[in-house]
Amino acid sequence: MSVTQAAAYAAPAPKAPLERTTVPRRPVGEHDVLIEIKYAGICHSDIHQARDGWGEGIYPMVPGHEIAGVVTEAGAGVTRFAVGDRVGVGCLVDSCRECEYCLAGQEQHCVQGATGTYNALDRNGEPTYGGYSTHLVVDENYAVRIPEGLALDVAAPLLCAGITLYSPLKRWGAGPGKKVAVVGLGGLGHMGVKIAHALGAEVTVLSQSLRKKEDGLRLGADHYYATADEATFQELRGRFDLIVSTVSAPLGLDRYLSLLRVGGALVNVGAPEEPVELNLFSVIGGNKTLAGSMIGGIAETQEMLDFCAEHGLGSEIELIAADRINEAYERVLSSDVRYRFVIDTSTI
């Protein structure tokens, strides 16, 4: 049964509180699936975009790219999913499918530009609306299967937070014998700790204070240090093979680069709105790498979900009703969530 309008929560204008509305959903095409969204995670990037922090947005804006739900209709040509399947949708819903990156399974780097799940224009020039909604229509090639071992509510944040950490940890070889640091224990960072631990690395959390230390150790960290303590940077100098920064505020990169071993890498997945400063001698000395990483392709996202199911890694969540989204945004900005808000979309 197709849906042409779906209830949703949208920001009507930049920085405006989100409010209940309806948005159009396209008819189910030959290769589309209609998903009844059950849960949608709140990512810090939702706030950046709804408040024009990363540039001018498209309004009304329905955020949400951590989507978990159930297929309720499938187009005649769909082969990957059937009605009743548990599925997820992450940060992108289309790409050109022809460029070298799409063909290599790196759709997020599509030369023509991947189509974002929200705050984007699709191939027909129509705005995309995200997961703070009851339903979504998406091409089957941009949905992934959520394994039975993962509950849908704790799986939803994996569609962004999970893949955002899994991809660089795998790419830079986190595993037995490697010392890995995760900067920030928030929605992204807590999944980084869980995944790095499951990969077999020795894991350290670098956080502003020690107030979440007990959580960090419970989630799989071997060590926990406060970056507000200058002694931390002296004690840990030259310690790590890999540091993954999840924070969305500008860091003193030179200080963190000093914590790397020769040949180590500092990978940024947090995206501050402001520029950062860097003394290039911090990377030249020690042959160090300063890098970035952006989600992962569809195949790698499926790999991540299967890995998380195998190791029992769901997100740590606080489930909320839709009428608390604006409150949740303010709490995210004050780091008052452990560790991901998830919207029960039945309350929209």
Side-chain angles (χ1 to χ4, degrees), residues 78-102:
V78 169
T79 59
R80 296 181 47 173
F81 302 106
V83 171
D85 284 353
R86 307 161 81 247
V87 295
V89 176
C91 300
L92 55 95
V93 291
D94 205 356
S95 63
C96 80
R97 314 180 195 204
E98 299 173 346
C99 72
E100 60 176 307
Y101 302 112
C102 285

Side-chain angles (χ1 to χ4, degrees), residues 16-229:
L18 277 73
E19 57 189 36
R20 192 178 187 279
T21 186
T22 58
V23 292
R25 294 300 190 191
R26 70 173 186 261
V28 176
E30 183 180 3
H31 298 287
D32 288 338
V33 289
L34 172 64
I35 300 169
E36 181 182 347
I37 300 172
K38 298 294 188 180
Y39 301 100
I42 293 179
C43 178
H44 200 144
S45 59
D46 297 345
I47 304 172
H48 285 300
Q49 294 185 74
R51 300 185 177 186
D52 279 359
W54 290 344
E56 188 174 342
I58 301 169
Y59 297 89
M61 184 189 299
V62 177
H65 56 210
E66 297 182 339
I67 300 167
V70 176
V71 174
T72 57
E73 183 180 346
V78 169
T79 59
R80 296 181 47 173
F81 302 106
V83 171
D85 284 353
R86 307 161 81 247
V87 295
V89 176
C91 300
L92 55 95
V93 291
D94 205 356
S95 63
C96 80
R97 314 180 195 204
E98 299 173 346
C99 72
E100 60 176 307
Y101 302 112
C102 285
L103 295 176
Q106 298 182 42
E107 298 91 346
Q108 74 274 29
H109 300 306
C110 175
V111 170
Q112 294 186 28
T115 301
T117 304
Y118 71 91
N119 193 29
L121 297 176
D122 66 20
R123 303 289 159 178
N124 297 316
E126 298 296 324
T128 58
Y129 301 108
Y132 298 6
S133 179
T134 57
H135 295 81
L136 177 71
V137 177
V138 66
D139 185 293
E140 64 171 327
N141 291 295
Y142 297 84
V144 287
R145 186 178 304 277
I146 297 177
E148 289 296 332
L150 285 172
L152 290 180
D153 54 355
V154 300
L158 301 182
L159 277 300
C160 176
I163 186 59
T164 294
L165 273 298
Y166 180 84
S167 185
L169 288 168
K170 283 295 295 288
R171 179 180 171 189
W172 273 276
K178 294 295 181 74
K179 292 181 169 61
V180 175
V182 176
V183 184
L185 191 69
L188 293 176
H190 90 283
M191 287 309 308
V193 170
K194 287 189 172 193
I195 293 169
H197 175 74
L199 288 168
E202 181 181 323
V203 185
T204 297
V205 174
L206 301 175
S207 184
Q208 286 182 301
S209 73
L210 298 178
R211 67 187 179 92
K212 298 179 183 177
K213 180 176 180 178
E214 187 176 327
D215 279 359
L217 299 178
R218 174 178 61 83
L219 296 172
D222 299 286
H223 315 285
Y224 200 108
Y225 289 85
T227 55
D229 183 352

Side-chain angles (χ1 to χ4, degrees), residues 322-339:
D323 61 6
R324 293 181 57 204
I325 292 172
N326 293 304
E327 171 196 341
Y329 273 26
E330 297 307 317
R331 287 181 56 192
V332 169
L333 292 173
S334 60
S335 300
D336 180 24
V337 55
R338 297 193 179 182
Y339 281 89

Side-chain angles (χ1 to χ4, degrees), residues 249-260:
L251 284 183
L253 294 181
D254 301 297
R255 302 173 77 219
Y256 287 88
L257 286 162
S258 75
L259 304 182
L260 291 172

